[in-house]
Amino acid sequence: MRRDCPLAVLNIMADKINKTHGAGGSATSELIDSIFREAFSNEYLEPLSDSAVLPLPAGKKLAFTTDSYVVRPIFFPGGDIGRLAVCGTVNDLLMSGADPAYITAGYILEEGFDTDDLKKVVASMADTAKEAGVQIVTGDTKVIEPADIKEPGLLINTAGVGFIDEDIDISPARIKPGDAVIVSGNLGDHHAAILGCRMSVKNNIVSDAAPLTQMISGLKDAGLDIHAMRDVTRGGLATILNEFASSAGAHIRIEESSLPVSEEVKGFCGILGLDPLYMGNEGKCVIILPDEEKEKAVEIMRKSPYGQNASVTGSVSCGTPDVTMRTAIGGEKIVSPLYGEGLPRIC
Amino acid sequence: MNLSEAANFLKNYNGRELRLMEVCGTHTAGIVQNGIPSMLSDRIHLITGPGCPVCVTVTDYIDRLINLAKDPANIIVTFGDLMRVPGSAGSLTQAKASGADIRYVYSPAEILKLAKEDPGHTYIFAAVGFETTAPVYAALLSGALEEKIENIKLLTSLKTMPQAIRRVSDGIDGFLAPGHVAVITGTEEYRQLASELEVPFVVSGFKGEELIASIYALTRLAEREGKAGFINLYPQAVKEKGNEAAKAATESFFEKGDAAWRGMGIIPDSGLYIRSEYKKYDAGSHDLAGDSEPEGCRCREVITGKLPSCDCPLFGTVCTPEHPVGACMVSQEGACFNSAKTTKNY
Ligand code: SF4
């Protein structure tokens, strides 16, 4: 639109977010119209009413989840906070056996945040939602004082709903001796990418932030009997497997040599004294299913773009409800859950 | 000798009982991470020595840091696990919860940036470590000097290894020389220590296979009682003279002085302090010698190798990684933390 048109002025967004954008008046509507509405547009969002009114499929259970995203930096190799906000919530729904359907987008913008950056985050969120097969059906924006005046940012909360077939029952309590443990791909990528950014280390590590919709529906379509499944986020694989072992009352043993970890992440962890077993991902999961289904599962997972390094990494047996690992050099050790914050070592 | 032959030997070793000590936090963590204790005969005991910089730091230091944190003009900057280490009355985490400004950084370069952008505050960096980290702190000081940044200070607790090794060497049959320290200081000091103490030293890398190879070599040297011996099995990183540039950087900003070590008291000339010509950068690091351990905590004996962590009555019951009582359970390089990680049903 040309500047000389008097009406056009109204549509030109300020290049930084300010208090009026969250005040609920004309600037708020302008922000919503020019940035969010177009990017997210769908039939449920469009009426822009107080709540989205959604159809319920018959004979299904509802899965409902929420999470908040506060990552810094906002843009990182392999993704951004918008992509993360979709992947995290979608993957949480998937892990309970649901087909993700709708998500919400709550944006908390810090005063001074760059409008162009906001557009990028929103566009990335819209793309990721499309890829994940979910619609963003309602949202909210607020503007707050920046926590750090030099670096105003944004926070996003997403809630999501999905639908589960009545007969699906995925829960750690179903884990049985004899089951196999499968990891969907390289561990530690997201964590290492973010840490690398914060430390200004130059390397090729990119975050694995990805929605696992395709991979998980592939497994379900094949009729595999998934006993338990969890996305590998904060706390890492070690923490999840410990939770699994204790809720199943069974022992889990993994093989270090079959744990998928990229050479770059291995190197990075070696320097900092970090352990990929305790590092978070945003596009990986661990699946436990009967031993006789493991090959089939790995084959299906490897066909998905985000599961190319899927591998069987362990097994469940009778025994003390904890986790052990056979190390690459032939040692045995207990794998404890994450304690503390997993910081780099000094010495 | 390949890995499986060495591993075989270590598993079936049947010679005299050996107490082998590692004195580098990264070795401690590497040994646990690779499950090495499970690969050794029960006649070989690996003992964790004073290689964890946070663990050997006395409570006076933590207390001083907390006092500095109480002044709103100061911002405390730290990396590593210093936050949860108990002082005589509370930890930095508690100070932070009651309003003190305490921040994590991942590299000292970040501090220069922070300080430059915020001249209204003094940034006090908790500079804890050994010969390994001293050059990093020297680089920070040199950056501050160059860029004329006046609002940075260091509260140092910097120590040098050889003197502490002498103190704990009683009853030890062999040492894995401190790996990262030797990268900086070189092999010479450890070759001398080996002949002075009449125990063998092996310089080891950090990977599982390297650790096995080094423990194998150390066992072969130590099985013959009273014989010294020195082998550098990490020659790709550890040179005879060490890293001369790093040593020179340390020397230009730091000078030797007496230092207090937890469990060992004051050891003459085992500390590094900011040189007097740069004392404006020092946040008061001298004479921090008082050390009060939390009640019942036996870190002093653990650090010096006299008591295995699991023999501390609090271990695994009152003191756990989630609720650590002493520094050795807080630090990821600490003996108690690493034992807890590998102990079933503690
Ligand atoms: S187990 Fe805890 S209380 Fe006991 S020595 Fe170790 S840190 Fe101190």
Side-chain angles (χ1 to χ4, degrees):
Chain A
M1 208 171 294
R2 285 176 21 237
R3 262 208 176 261
D4 52 2
C5 162
L7 285 175
V9 180
L10 288 175
N11 283 321
I12 292 173
M13 286 290 305
D15 60 355
K16 301 277 179 212
I17 295 299
N18 60 54
K19 275 278 164 62
T20 64
H21 289 123
S26 62
T28 309
S29 333
E30 190 185 280
L31 180 79
I32 291 172
D33 278 347
S34 64
I35 297 188
F36 293 101
R37 190 175 183 171
E38 194 182 306
F40 295 160
S41 134
N42 60 60
E43 59 180 306
Y44 304 111
L45 175 78
E46 213 37 62
L48 291 185
S49 46
D50 284 340
S51 38
V53 179
L54 308 165
L56 270 183
K60 301 231 181 190
K61 293 183 280 187
L62 182 78
F64 186 20
T65 185
T66 183
D67 209 341
S68 301
Y69 300 86
V70 298
V71 66
R72 291 291 181 277
I74 284 168
F75 300 95
F76 46 83
D80 56 74
I81 192 169
R83 181 166 176 82
L84 214 56
V86 175
C87 296
T89 294
V90 163
N91 291 343
D92 279 347
L93 291 170
L94 287 166
M95 294 305 125
S96 57
D99 297 318
Y102 309 110
I103 66 170
T104 68
Y107 274 69
I108 298 173
L109 307 171
E110 290 185 343
E111 207 176 353
F113 187 63
D114 196 279
T115 316
D116 281 336
D117 282 346
L118 176 60
K119 283 183 189 154
K120 281 186 219 153
V121 170
V122 169
S124 156
M125 193 170 183
D127 288 346
T128 313
K130 202 166 178 189
E131 183 189 352
V134 292
Q135 289 176 313
I136 298 170
V137 291
T138 186
D140 177 53
T141 49
K142 292 282 182 312
V143 178
I144 58 168
E145 304 264 344
D148 177 356
I149 191 118
K150 281 176 263 93
E151 247 174 296
L154 85 168
L155 318 170
I156 301 178
N157 173 277
T158 51
V161 293
F163 301 106
I164 314 185
D165 288 339
E166 281 290 352
D167 58 341
I168 286 190
D169 177 16
I170 296 177
S171 97
R174 290 193 62 221
I175 297 172
K176 291 184 194 55
D179 282 357
V181 179
I182 300 175
V183 174
S184 73
N186 292 347
L187 298 173
D189 295 359
H190 178 71
H191 196 137
I194 296 292
L195 213 53
C197 280
R198 296 214 191 121
M199 300 172 76
S200 317
V201 177
K202 287 217 166 27
N203 57 30
N204 299 323
I205 300 173
V206 289
S207 164
D208 55 0
L212 299 177
T213 319
Q214 189 193 337
M215 182 193 303
I216 304 301
S217 37
L219 294 170
K220 286 202 296 191
D221 291 349
L224 295 178
D225 181 22
I226 299 170
H227 288 168
M229 155 161 87
R230 193 67 67 78
D231 52 340
V232 183
T233 53
R234 276 183 306 178
L237 183 67
T239 307
I240 297 172
L241 292 181
N242 271 282
E243 282 168 26
F244 279 181
S246 72
S247 32
H251 181 73
I252 296 179
R253 184 166 185 264
I254 53 175
E255 290 277 341
E256 186 172 28
S257 53
S258 57
L259 278 180
V261 183
S262 76
E263 285 308 314
E264 284 92 348
V265 169
K266 255 186 218 163
F268 184 77
C269 290
I271 293 166
L272 292 177
L274 295 170
D275 184 344
L277 271 181
Y278 296 93
M279 292 168 69
N281 287 74
E282 289 293 342
K284 298 289 156 52
C285 62
V286 50
I287 289 181
I288 303 211
L289 43 54
D291 189 68
E292 58 276 15
E293 295 186 349
K294 66 179 185 227
E295 275 99 24
K296 180 91 194 147
V298 167
E299 188 193 315
I300 293 170
M301 291 166 92
R302 287 201 179 157
K303 279 192 193 129
S304 130
Y306 303 122
Q308 284 169 15
N309 298 306
S311 39
V312 179
T313 52
S315 57
V316 182
S317 64
C318 296
T320 48
D322 54 16
V323 183
T324 54
M325 174 158 99
R326 184 174 167 81
T327 66
I329 59 165
E332 283 290 333
K333 68 165 190 177
I334 299 261
V335 176
S336 63
L338 174 70
Y339 298 124
E341 300 176 46
L343 294 167
R345 278 199 294 273
I346 315 184
C347 184
Chain B
M1 169 91 24
N2 62 29
L3 174 68
S4 74
E5 283 165 339
N8 232 338
F9 174 87
L10 290 172
K11 187 80 212 172
N12 299 312
Y13 171 79
N14 201 19
R16 73 180 185 113
E17 200 121 343
L18 296 178
R19 290 166 53 85
L20 309 178
M21 182 178 266
E22 91 275 354
V23 281
C24 171
T26 309
H27 280 156
T28 308
I31 286 167
V32 165
Q33 203 156 28
N34 287 288
I36 289 178
S38 74
M39 301 172 73
L40 306 178
S41 137
D42 52 17
R43 304 185 79 82
I44 303 175
H45 307 275
L46 292 183
I47 298 176
T48 298
C52 156
V54 170
C55 307
V56 297
T57 299
V58 291
T59 42
D60 259 13
Y61 177 87
I62 305 287
D63 292 348
R64 167 128 189 95
L65 210 51
I66 291 172
N67 270 332
L68 289 166
K70 284 186 185 149
D71 182 344
N74 293 335
I75 294 174
I76 306 292
V77 189
T78 161
F79 53 69
D81 344 68
L82 216 53
M83 291 292 290
R84 296 198 298 160
V85 174
S88 63
S91 65
L92 284 172
T93 307
Q94 284 157 343
K96 187 170 178 160
S98 33
D101 193 342
I102 301 171
R103 304 191 191 169
Y104 276 129
V105 287
Y106 291 102
S107 76
E110 284 175 62
I111 303 167
L112 289 176
K113 190 167 164 256
L114 284 171
K116 209 154 75 179
E117 286 170 0
D118 177 20
H121 286 102
T122 301
Y123 283 77
I124 297 178
F125 187 37
V128 172
F130 296 126
E131 292 97 320
T132 334
T133 23
V136 178
Y137 303 135
L140 173 66
L141 290 175
S142 132
L145 204 62
E146 230 165 72
E147 301 192 40
K148 300 197 170 50
I149 302 172
E150 302 284 330
N151 58 330
I152 285 186
K153 282 183 195 295
L154 265 54
L155 188 70
T156 62
S157 170
L158 286 171
K159 298 181 164 68
T160 55
M161 255 301 154
Q163 297 89 332
I165 292 179
R166 281 192 189 94
R167 287 279 175 115
V168 296
S169 63
D170 241 16
I172 299 298
D173 302 300
F175 284 94
L176 288 179
H180 283 141
V181 167
V183 171
I184 305 292
T185 61
T187 54
E188 209 30 57
E189 273 181 329
Y190 296 97
R191 194 187 295 277
Q192 275 170 22
L193 264 183
S195 59
E196 175 194 325
L197 301 172
E198 294 181 352
V199 288
F201 276 68
V202 171
V203 180
S204 174
F206 300 97
K207 294 195 185 116
E209 314 85 85
E210 294 170 336
L211 284 162
I212 286 290
S214 302
I215 294 167
Y216 170 79
L218 196 55
T219 303
R220 292 321 295 253
L221 290 171
E223 48 180 350
R224 319 151 307 149
E225 202 164 346
K227 292 261 175 23
F230 176 88
I231 307 178
N232 178 6
L233 286 182
Y234 195 34
Q236 61 277 37
V238 177
K239 309 289 172 205
E240 190 172 332
K241 298 227 173 314
N243 180 334
E244 308 241 31
K247 281 198 279 189
T250 301
E251 235 167 77
S252 59
F253 285 96
F254 296 98
E255 60 197 5
K256 288 206 164 218
D258 301 349
W261 296 62
R262 165 160 302 154
M264 286 172 268
I266 297 198
I267 307 182
D269 269 351
S270 70
L272 291 171
Y273 296 91
I274 293 179
R275 283 186 174 281
S276 48
E277 58 263 47
Y278 302 119
K279 72 166 181 278
K280 63 174 179 186
Y281 291 116
D282 188 357
S285 314
H286 286 271
D287 305 319
L288 299 173
D291 191 29
S292 60
E293 255 172 336
E295 212 178 296
C297 173
R298 299 182 62 182
C299 272
R300 288 183 189 148
E301 292 151 89
V302 169
I303 289 166
T304 48
K306 294 192 192 100
L307 183 85
S309 303
C310 49
D311 286 354
C312 165
L314 304 190
F315 179 83
T317 51
V318 179
C319 182
T320 61
E322 295 97 328
H323 303 287
V325 173
C328 298
M329 188 62 91
V330 173
S331 172
Q332 307 198 34
E333 296 164 72
C336 299
F337 178 84
N338 280 290
S339 304
K341 273 190 77 164
T342 48
T343 310
K344 275 194 187 193
N345 311 321
Y346 63 79

